[in-house]
Amino acid sequence: MSVSTGIGWDSHRLAEGRPLILGGVTVEHDRGLDGHSDADVLTHAVIDALLGAAGLGDIGEHFPDTDQAYAGADSISLLRDVVALLGNREVLHVDTTLLMERPKLKPYKDTIRETLAGALGVTVDRVNIKASTGEGIGFVGREEGVAALAVATLSRP
Ligand code: MG
């Protein structure tokens, strides 16, 4: 068996009149993330971590933001597409950190974990969600945007 890891990073701008979708879950907030798809920054980071671990490039190569097919795309369904590309690789673990000043993620963490685990086809104990604020500094702290990091570990027979 061989084991590989991949990292993922993404950031999106906060904008008025957009829903805030994180890990496939709509989070109550006065603004949301702007982007070509649903701008689900957390799911995008997970997708890139999986692609990295599998040596399959990055999210922009698979789902170009110049392609109208992905306008407003549901990122959880893109994640399912990526899981299908993994073939005989098994998702051992996915760890994530969301960098967001507001709102508090705690009420949503369990649902996000379940949603991501469902799309990954694994049990919730293989997925972890962490959140961190920007302490008032940088683009996260000034609430200009939200960022996410992910690490995926895959095994292959
Ligand atoms: Mg993105």
Side-chain angles (χ1 to χ4, degrees), residues 39 67 82 111 116 146 150:
D67 189 335
V82 167
T111 315
L116 287 175
V146 173

Side-chain angles (χ1 to χ4, degrees), residues 18-19 21 24 33 35-41 44 70-76:
R18 292 272 301 182
I21 299 169
L33 295 174
H36 185 65
S37 66
D38 65 2
D40 183 341
V41 66
H44 292 180
Y70 304 116
D74 168 10
S75 297
I76 288 291

